Structure formats: structure tokens, C-alpha cells
Amino acid sequence: MKALITGLTGQDGAYLAKNLLEKGYKVFGGVRRISTPNFWRLEELKILNHPNLKIIDLDITDLSSCIRALNDCKPTELYNLAAQSFVAASFKQPLQTIEASGTSAINLLESIRITGVNCKFYQASTSEMFGSVVEVPQNEDTPFYPRSPYGFAKLMAHWGTINYRESYDFFASSGILFNHESPLRGIEFITRKITDGVAKIIKGKNDCLEIGNLDAKRDWGDAEDYVEGMRLILSAEKSDTFVLATGETHSIRDFLVKAFSCVDIKLVFEGTDLNEIGIDKKTNKTLVKINPKFYRPAEVDLLIGDPSKAKNVLGWKAITNIDKLVQKMINADLKRQS
Ligand code: NDP
Ligand code: GDP
């Protein structure tokens, strides 16, 4: 088996590469040219120098780069994980996001068509496509209502995947993944921002965390479970769309309480709206403040997925629960700060 992964240097790219290498795959990892190499995740997972991992130049916004990668690697599976994946940034760079997270998927699908390379295609779709949700929980048949440039860019790539499946008989599958986190999550995402912030407070490197909307709710799973789901999606008998989720939802407030409790601090909230603060019940010290700079122009308030189809068809389910996930992330950040 030969897999080409776009977005190798990201959270999921690194975990998926590790997963596939352990299963005996030859892995080609697509990396775009940036001024400073960004291999810290591959180093943490100790796979950067794996003999079966070959890093190749690939910028998915450039059709010629995609065609060249397909021709050079001739993969049997192509996982399209590269994207501008941060919702908040997508409001500030909508067109770049549309290119990196939307039309780039069409570059890859077209490259498969042009080169004739016989490979299965996986598209990293997202629960952000459900946005202002029209039903709870969300499954494969729930109508979409994206609330950000990231959400509508990904929706384009999602429909592109389905369209190529139907038009050209491609094995092109889409995983609608709900939020998944890990010690390798980008530091700007709320879970990692919190675990990194808690670790810095404990080590005396910071006093307080500044957060936006505390009421948003997410269905958070563990990235390691989800990359296994991606592999199973391409191992299925036929190409299709699958939701991967835990089926549980928690607020940002809940996540904060859980993260502080991992370091034996009981966090309680006082005040309302912009004046709400999170304090250490024992010492009365303010540990969390609201900063409106982290509010978004449009918000996705409640995401909760129904992973029944993935369970029934693929035998997949999320293994790590939220408490274990928070503890794992806190442990890693405490270690990094010591
Ligand atoms: P990350 O932001 O951690 O990684 C994104 C990757 O895309 C990085 O390797 C980045 O490279 C690469 N990339 C960005 N632009 C380009 C480009 N033009 N050409 C080539 N590579 C590029 O995301 P995750 O690993 O968390 O997510 C993986 C995929 O899954 C993404 O598509 C994301 O949108 C989607 N997704 C993620 C969810 C989650 O909760 N994590 C939920 C649902 C979907 P560089 O290192 O150079 O920046
Ligand atoms: P997303 O679900 O892909 O947008 O993942 P994020 O981790 O970036 O955001 C999850 C939720 O946390 C969103 O509803 C944000 O509005 C909310 N949130 C509240 N405060 C913050 C913050 O300081 N940073 C981020 N990234 N999100 C925040």
C-alpha cells in the first residue's frame, strides 16, 4: 500500500502517517515550501526519519504541483488533509482559505483524472459545514448551514468529492469529522490554548487565560482515534460519506474546569457576559478573563455528531473520552513547560 498524505506537517497528517507506517504502508508526505521547516510533530512522534516515509514538495493550491506529485508517487490512497484549518483566520483571509481548503481539493481530484493514477481519495470534511445546525445531533443526512469562509470552502470540497464519485466513478470518500484534539493540536485552537495556558500558569510563566465565547459547545474526540477512522473509510467496500464523532458535547467552560482540575485547581465562574471571570476557589485568584477579541463575526454554537453509520459500516468508534483527552494534553503541556 502506498499513501500520499497532503498536510503531513499538521496534527492529523502526522498521526495518520504514524498509523499507516505502523501498518506497513509506504507513506509520501506532501509538504509546501515555507521559510522554516515545520517538522516538530513528526519529531515528537519519532517518524521524521522513518525509512518508509518520503517527504515530497506539494502545494495543493498549484495544479501542476498536484499532477507532479501524483505522477511521481503513484499512490494507492490519497488523503487530502491540507487546509487553512483555523476558522477565526478564515474570516480575515477568506479568499486564501477558499483556495487552500476548497478549490485545492478539486486540484487533487482533477490531478487523479488527468494522470489516470488509480487511487482512492479521502477528503477531510468538517462538522463546521453544519454550522448553524438545523438538527441535533448531526448525521450524514443533516442539511448544511456553514457559518464561516472555512465552513463554506470545505463544503465546496465536500460536494466536489461527491460529484467526482458520481461523475467519474472515483473511489472518493469524505469524512465529516467533528473536532478532534491532541497534544499536537495547533496552539491557537481553544483546547490546546487552554492546556498550554494552564501549564504556563502552573509553571509561573503566565497569570491568566484570555478567552472568547465560553458557551460554545463542541463534540471533542482524540485525533489518534480519528485518523484510524480515515483509514477505515478508505478500506470500506465502497466510497461514501461518514460522520466521525463521539456523540457527546461539552462547552468551553466545561473544558476549562476539566483542565484546571487536572492540576488540582477548582475553577468557579463569577459575573456575566464580558465581566465573567474564572477564579481559583481556594485562592480567589482570577485565572480566566473574557477578551472580546476572541469572539467571531458568526458563531457555531452547538456541534454534536451521530457516528452510528461509521460504527455500523466501518466498526469505528471513538475510544478516548474527554477526561482522558484533557489529561493527556495537560500532561504533554506540563512536560513542555518544565
Ligand atoms: P492543521 O492545521 O494542523 O494542518 C493543516 C496542514 O495543511 C498543515 O500541514 C499545513 O502545512 C497544510 N497546508 C496548508 N496549506 C497548504 C498548501 N497550500 N499546500 C500544502 N499544504 C498546506 O489541521 P489538522 O491536522 O487539524 O486537520 C487536518 C484536516 O482535517 C484539515 O483539512 C482540517 O480542515 C480538517 N478537519 C480538522 C478537524 C480537527 O478538529 N482537527 C475537524 C474536521 C476537519 P504547514 O505546516 O506548512 O502550515
Ligand atoms: P473550531 O471549532 O474549528 O472553530 O475550533 P476552535 O478550537 O478554534 O474553536 C472552538 C470554539 O471555541 C469556537 O466556538 C470559538 O468561538 C470558541 N472560543 C472561545 N474562546 C476562544 C479562543 O480564545 N480561541 C479559540 N480558538 N476559540 C475560542
Side-chain angles (χ1 to χ4, degrees):
M1 301 294 280
K2 281 197 290 181
L4 169 57
I5 301 173
T6 75
L8 177 76
T9 52
Q11 169 189 259
D12 291 5
Y15 279 120
L16 178 64
K18 179 167 184 272
N19 178 308
L20 298 181
L21 287 166
E22 283 169 0
K23 295 194 167 66
Y25 278 67
K26 165 114 186 146
V27 175
F28 296 95
V31 172
R32 61 174 164 172
R33 195 258 158 203
I34 48 172
S35 60
T36 312
N38 173 23
F39 294 141
W40 68 273
R41 292 184 172 99
L42 305 175
E43 278 163 359
E44 283 212 13
L45 295 181
K46 300 188 172 49
I47 56 169
L48 182 58
N49 297 314
H50 194 289
N52 284 335
L53 175 66
K54 181 158 191 249
I55 292 175
I56 61 156
D57 290 328
L58 173 55
D59 188 319
I60 56 162
T61 61
D62 182 325
L63 176 65
S64 66
S65 173
C66 297
I67 292 174
R68 204 165 290 120
L70 258 288
N71 265 332
D72 290 350
C73 306
K74 302 214 169 28
T76 52
E77 296 178 358
L78 167 49
Y79 294 87
N80 181 29
L81 309 188
Q84 191 302 94
S85 71
F86 188 40
V87 172
S90 79
F91 286 103
K92 294 179 181 149
Q93 301 146 23
L95 298 172
Q96 194 276 337
T97 303
I98 288 165
E99 225 189 332
S101 312
T103 49
S104 55
I106 315 305
N107 280 341
L108 290 165
L109 288 160
E110 268 303 289
S111 302
I112 297 175
R113 202 156 78 96
I114 291 165
T115 59
V117 170
N118 184 15
C119 73
K120 296 179 176 179
F121 179 79
Y122 173 87
Q123 171 58 23
S125 289
T126 166
S127 52
E128 290 291 323
M129 301 185 313
F130 296 124
S132 182
V133 299
V134 300
E135 66 181 6
V136 179
Q138 298 88 49
N139 64 32
E140 293 78 3
D141 298 320
T142 302
F144 299 113
Y145 193 143
R147 293 268 284 171
S148 63
Y150 171 73
F152 63 70
K154 280 284 184 176
L155 191 51
M156 198 264 244
H158 177 70
W159 276 110
T161 304
I162 295 170
N163 186 263
Y164 275 65
R165 183 197 302 159
E166 294 176 352
S167 305
Y168 307 115
D169 203 21
F170 274 26
F171 193 112
S173 288
S174 185
I176 306 181
L177 271 52
F178 282 63
N179 295 49
H180 44 278
E181 318 295 314
S182 73
L184 302 186
R185 184 63 144 148
I187 207 150
E188 69 273 40
F189 292 89
I190 190 66
T191 54
R192 185 71 210 297
K193 177 172 169 177
I194 292 172
T195 59
D196 172 71
V198 168
K200 285 185 176 140
I201 289 171
I202 291 301
K203 300 289 177 186
K205 297 181 184 172
N206 204 351
D207 296 329
C208 179
L209 261 162
E210 293 193 355
I211 306 279
N213 177 7
L214 292 175
D215 294 314
K217 290 183 159 180
R218 289 291 182 276
D219 178 333
W220 282 299
D222 183 325
E224 284 192 80
D225 292 345
Y226 286 53
V227 297
E228 172 64 1
M230 293 175 191
R231 188 188 70 79
L232 291 173
I233 287 173
L234 287 200
S235 308
E237 232 166 75
K238 62 182 185 66
S239 55
D240 205 343
T241 296
F242 294 94
V243 161
L244 300 187
T246 69
E248 269 185 37
T249 194
H250 298 272
S251 66
I252 311 301
R253 207 186 298 276
D254 293 341
F255 197 100
L256 279 161
V257 170
K258 285 178 189 299
F260 277 103
S261 89
C262 290
V263 290
D264 295 327
I265 291 176
K266 187 168 170 47
L267 188 75
V268 290
F269 289 92
E270 279 182 0
T272 53
D273 304 324
L274 287 181
N275 294 320
E276 185 165 1
I277 50 172
I279 58 172
D280 180 341
K281 190 161 191 287
K282 204 150 123 202
T283 62
N284 250 358
K285 204 173 158 229
T286 300
L287 300 177
V288 178
K289 277 187 207 157
I290 303 296
N291 186 336
K293 140 173 144 186
F294 297 110
Y295 287 158
R296 294 175 181 180
E299 184 57 282
V300 170
D301 288 320
L302 169 65
L303 290 177
I304 175 163
D306 171 5
S308 312
K309 181 174 167 184
K311 185 168 182 229
N312 296 335
V313 179
L314 308 172
W316 178 88
K317 80 178 183 78
I319 297 165
T320 311
N321 68 25
I322 180 95
D323 293 320
K324 283 205 180 116
L325 175 64
V326 179
Q327 186 72 62
K328 181 163 125 173
M329 292 176 70
I330 285 279
N331 290 348
D333 276 317
L334 284 172
K335 205 165 155 200
R336 286 182 182 119
Q337 292 306 325
S338 54

